[in-house]
Amino acid sequence: MRRILLFIEYDGTHFAGLQTQARGERTVQQELEAALGRIPGARPKVWPCGRTDAGVHALEMPVHYDTQDRIPVERIPHALNRLLPPDIRALRAREVPLSFHARKSCLWREYRYRILLRRMPPALERHRVWWMPHSLNLIPIRHALEHLVGLHDFRAFSVREERSTVREIYRAHLEVWPVEGGQEVWLEFVGSGFLRGQVRSMVGTLVEVGLGKRDSDSIRTLLRGGDRKEAGPTAPPQGLYFVRAGYEPYGK
């Protein structure tokens, strides 16, 4: 028996999320397991590093599965891509110890949120960015991001969370890129883990800071004991990307 760590990318537009759904909606896990089921010797069960909601994309999502097939590990992505739909692609694979677990062994995860600021709505990127026809004041957003770094209780940014809401964010960063007719803003977060809806809730709150609807210091108030009703709205899913995950301490 071999355990394979597989890295996949997907366009989340037409998926009900990553994980299998009780009502049988189309998901990334469902499609990936269906493809593995067509490979003799492979067990059609995958364990992803995390989860993404409907409409959210992934650039390099790690998943693992077990198999008794004899496909050389470097050929596995080619074999799977012949069986997968075009909105999922296997990028690379490697064999790992049977004690490895894509989720439990993970030490950090990185997400990116894309906001397009320009007067005209996008055509090509309409399922991949949050479009805003007005500008944002990025200076207070940068200040607000500083408050998110560190070990905090992120209860005010969680949605239907039953686990502990304490998480550590190692990096919260803003990048700006010029585009035709405007600019694109990237909000990037690296953390030990993220709660359900946390990144989109943080982005919605940060956008309120950029619009002048709240002060950047309000982030500290939310972290000290706020609840979800006191934070900003949840940003739409299409601007969110799972970027990558790490199995060594962050920064090493």
Side-chain angles (χ1 to χ4, degrees):
M1 182 67 67
R2 297 188 297 166
R3 178 156 294 181
I4 302 299
L5 176 60
L6 182 71
F7 297 88
I8 62 172
E9 70 174 13
Y10 54 85
D11 178 342
T13 303
H14 301 296
F15 289 107
L18 168 59
Q19 291 186 308
T20 301
Q21 303 289 317
R23 296 183 179 181
E25 298 95 331
R26 183 176 186 252
T27 67
V28 175
Q29 184 174 8
Q30 176 193 62
E31 294 283 8
L32 190 54
E33 290 179 348
L36 286 171
R38 297 173 62 186
I39 297 178
R43 293 186 177 180
K45 172 65 177 176
V46 300
W47 285 265
C49 170
R51 59 178 298 155
T52 56
D53 294 331
V56 176
H57 316 292
L59 303 181
E60 192 178 272
M61 172 67 74
V63 304
H64 84 258
Y65 67 94
D66 294 335
T67 183
Q68 292 179 312
D69 70 63
R70 297 183 178 181
I71 301 173
V73 69
E74 68 274 10
R75 298 296 303 168
I76 288 173
H78 300 281
L80 279 172
N81 286 336
R82 289 196 292 267
L83 304 172
L84 287 167
D87 45 3
I88 308 177
R89 280 293 173 260
L91 302 176
R92 54 192 175 91
R94 73 171 188 258
E95 189 170 344
V96 293
L98 292 176
S99 59
F100 176 90
H101 194 284
R103 179 178 58 82
K104 296 177 182 178
S105 302
C106 183
L107 297 180
W108 55 266
R109 298 161 179 84
E110 179 176 352
Y111 283 88
R112 175 182 302 149
Y113 198 96
R114 296 173 56 194
I115 303 173
L116 177 63
L117 304 175
R118 74 178 193 191
R119 291 183 59 192
M120 294 296 108
L124 300 180
E125 295 284 271
R126 66 190 185 279
H127 298 307
R128 294 180 172 86
V129 298
W130 183 7
W131 168 67
M132 295 183 187
H134 40 71
S135 62
L136 293 174
N137 186 344
L138 302 183
I139 295 176
I141 293 180
R142 292 185 192 275
H143 292 160
L145 285 168
E146 295 174 2
H147 299 316
L148 293 171
V149 176
L151 186 67
H152 303 290
D153 187 336
F154 288 94
R155 181 172 62 255
F157 300 102
S158 65
V159 178
R160 302 189 308 276
E161 189 58 70
E162 297 178 355
R163 303 168 295 171
S164 167
T165 51
V166 175
R167 296 290 186 276
E168 184 170 7
I169 289 185
Y170 305 126
R171 181 174 184 265
H173 184 68
L174 183 150
E175 289 279 352
V176 183
W177 305 92
V179 297
E180 182 65 31
Q183 59 184 190
E184 187 171 308
V185 175
W186 289 6
L187 295 170
E188 299 179 322
F189 306 93
V190 180
S192 59
F194 293 89
L195 306 167
R196 185 194 302 266
Q198 179 183 341
V199 175
R200 290 165 59 195
S201 299
M202 292 191 301
V203 170
T205 306
L206 291 166
V207 164
E208 286 195 336
V209 172
L211 292 173
K213 295 182 177 180
R214 67 169 63 230
D215 188 87
S216 59
D217 283 340
S218 67
I219 301 297
R220 288 195 298 186
T221 303
L222 290 168
L223 293 173
R224 281 199 297 263
D227 59 37
R228 184 67 190 88
K229 292 182 292 184
E230 297 171 334
T234 301
Q238 71 271 13
L240 182 58
Y241 295 74
F242 181 100
V243 176
R244 58 181 179 145
Y247 295 94
E248 297 290 339
Y250 183 68
K252 293 188 178 181

